[in-house]
Every structure is written in C-alpha cells, then in structure tokens.
C-alpha cells in the first residue's frame, strides 16, 4: 500500500530507525487514527522496502539489549519517497467512514434499533473527540512536534466535530 510506504519512507528520510522505533512513532503520532496502518504492517513493509532496494539495514547492539536492524533510506528510496509524495498528493481526496455503512441501512431497522445504532456511533465519536482534544492539548505547545503534525491533529478534531454535528441532524 502506497500510504504505508510513504509513512515508512518519510520517517526514514528524517533519521535511521528500527522497525520497533517506527512502530513507536506511529503510536506516538497517532498515525493509525487517520491512516490504516498497524504494527505488523510496519514490520512487513520494512522487509518489502528493503527487498525493493528503497531502504537498507544495518545491525546495531546497544549495551545488554539484543541486536536490532536499523533502517535507512537509499538514494533509490529518496526518489521513491518523492514519487509517492507527488503521486498521493495528486489523487482525489477520499474520506472513508465505516459507520456510513450503518447509516445507509438504518431504514432497515425498527426506530428503536435505529436509535441504538446512532447512540453507539455517537458514543464512539464523542470518545474519539475527547481523545483528540487531550492529544492536541498535550502537543499544541511542544516545540518537538512539527507544525504539520499539529495541523493534522487540528484537522482530525475539526472532522470529528463536523461528524458530531452531522449526527445531531440525523437524530431529528
């Protein structure tokens, strides 16, 4: 998947990392909240990208820790990173919301069951919004968090607020 390729190559463009460090960065940056990416996909992806010659690994050992592979970008990987940046930025923007499959089928349920489904979606959206607000507050004034990262956090919060407002219109 090109998006995961771009995430991994982008992290390695900034500095050499192990797959574990990349996975921790994905968690820290909450990337999995806005891009479909999982821990196993990162480990698989570094193997694939190395096989394609986009990244290379070297083995490092720190103190009593076991050896680990640390990955860095190759010149071919630099070119692939730029290619993906332009390819993905030129695509139409899609917003996939899995719960819309429930929304389009609400009429097939009794009014009570419709309300129950909407209540579940609303509860999950509220939980997401609370998480996003806390996350943004924690990172808003941190100089180590890039402005582009903060912009994505604000974008996600705005989308969540819009979904919350939209749910109110459906409930009536």
């Amino acid at each position: 998947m090109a998006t995961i390729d771009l995430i991994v190559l982008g992290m390695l463009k900034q500095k050499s990392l192990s797959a574990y460090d990349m996975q921790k960065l994905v968690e820290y940056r909450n990337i999995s909240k806005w891009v479909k990416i999982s821990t196993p996909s990162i480990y698989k992806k570094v193997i694939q990208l190395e096989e394609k010659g986009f990244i290379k690994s070297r083995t490092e050992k720190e103190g009593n820790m076991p050896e680990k592979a640390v990955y860095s970008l190759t010149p071919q990987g630099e070119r692939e990173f730029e290619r993906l940046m332009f390819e993905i930025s030129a695509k139409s923007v899609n917003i996939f919301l899995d719960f819309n499959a429930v929304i389009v089928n609400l009429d097939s349920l009794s009014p009570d069951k419709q309300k129950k489904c909407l209540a579940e979606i609303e509860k999950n959206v509220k939980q997401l919004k609370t998480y996003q607000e806390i996350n943004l507050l924690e990172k808003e004034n941190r100089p180590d968090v890039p402005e582009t990262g903060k912009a994505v956090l604000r974008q996600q919060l705005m989308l969540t607020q819009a979904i919350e407002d939209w749910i109110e219109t459906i409930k009536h």
Side-chain angles (χ1 to χ4, degrees):
M1 174 185 266
T3 307
I4 297 173
D5 292 8
L6 185 57
I7 299 270
V8 170
L9 294 173
M11 286 190 281
L12 294 177
K13 182 149 177 59
Q14 296 186 8
K15 68 179 186 177
S16 298
L17 297 165
S18 69
Y20 175 79
D21 292 333
M22 285 182 248
Q23 180 253 324
K24 286 298 178 197
L25 263 176
V26 165
E27 287 175 14
Y28 173 74
R29 294 179 179 172
N30 300 300
I31 293 171
S32 61
K33 296 279 186 197
W34 41 272
V35 174
K36 288 193 180 212
I37 189 170
S38 66
T39 300
S41 65
I42 293 171
Y43 286 92
K44 288 183 212 168
K45 190 50 65 181
V46 293
I47 292 167
Q48 292 171 353
L49 291 171
E50 187 169 30
E51 287 171 354
K52 292 178 180 178
F54 297 143
I55 64 176
K56 62 183 177 190
S57 66
R58 69 179 187 283
T59 304
E60 282 187 4
K61 182 161 175 53
E62 295 175 12
N64 294 334
M65 300 297 289
E67 288 184 345
K68 65 180 178 180
V70 175
Y71 298 91
S72 58
L73 222 48
T74 64
Q76 186 181 352
E78 292 259 356
R79 289 188 296 277
E80 179 66 1
F81 168 78
E82 288 185 14
R83 186 190 74 73
L84 287 172
M85 286 289 289
F86 288 104
E87 177 187 296
I88 293 171
S89 65
K91 287 183 178 181
S92 63
V93 175
N94 295 308
I95 299 173
F96 298 107
L97 304 170
D98 293 341
F99 65 81
N100 278 336
V102 172
I103 300 300
V104 298
N105 287 298
L106 277 176
D107 292 342
S108 299
L109 293 175
S110 67
D112 286 349
K113 290 181 180 175
Q114 288 179 23
K115 285 179 185 175
K116 186 175 180 180
C117 284
L118 280 174
E120 285 296 318
I121 293 169
E122 186 174 30
K123 177 187 77 170
N124 290 325
V125 170
K126 283 186 187 309
Q127 286 175 344
L128 175 61
K129 184 179 175 190
T130 299
Y131 169 80
Q132 290 171 329
E133 288 170 337
I134 292 167
N135 192 32
L136 186 58
L137 277 173
E138 288 174 353
K139 295 182 178 151
E140 192 72 60
N141 295 315
R142 292 194 41 194
D144 61 320
V145 177
E147 284 303 314
T148 52
K150 294 173 190 175
V152 169
L153 293 175
R154 288 188 291 271
Q155 170 211 60
Q156 295 299 304
L157 183 57
M158 288 170 49
L159 286 170
T160 303
Q161 179 62 54
I163 292 167
E164 203 173 50
D165 295 345
W166 172 77
I167 288 171
E168 283 301 314
T169 66
I170 289 181
K171 286 173 31 179
H172 300 294

